[in-house]
Amino acid sequence: MSATFTTILGIIAVFASLSSLAVTLIGAAQESAKLKKFSKYPPKTLVIENRSGNVIVLELEKQNDTQQLLRTMDALLGK
């Protein structure tokens, strides 16, 4: 009886670890899709709220500004 219980617990542990890996991979794929969409259709403005509650609107008029923003996001995300 003890061997059966241990086997069942082992199977549950394997499925739990595989499911957590799958959730991580799905989240990474979704984030990658967002970044690809952002690269393809860059925003014209960027709205940021700082810690004190002030809202800052950055106008991204030039393509160069958008490229700089993408590089900054990649650096922050560790890519």
Side-chain angles (χ1 to χ4, degrees):
M1 187 70 164
S2 178
T4 305
F5 185 70
T6 306
T7 304
I8 291 172
L9 283 180
I11 291 171
I12 291 171
V14 167
F15 279 117
S17 64
L18 289 176
S19 66
S20 66
L21 177 64
V23 168
T24 303
L25 290 175
I26 289 171
Q30 289 174 344
E31 191 64 30
S32 177
K34 287 179 188 177
L35 286 175
K36 285 179 184 175
K37 182 180 176 185
F38 187 79
S39 296
K40 191 172 184 181
Y41 304 106
K44 303 270 188 247
T45 60
L46 179 66
V47 180
I48 302 171
E49 183 178 357
N50 62 11
R51 291 183 184 175
S52 63
N54 297 330
V55 176
I56 302 165
V57 178
L58 300 174
E59 296 287 334
L60 303 172
E61 297 176 5
K62 303 175 189 172
Q63 181 68 18
N64 207 11
D65 294 341
T66 305
Q67 293 301 324
Q68 181 62 34
L69 179 64
L70 287 172
R71 283 193 293 275
T72 303
M73 285 181 63
D74 286 344
L76 289 173
L77 294 172
K79 298 191 176 209

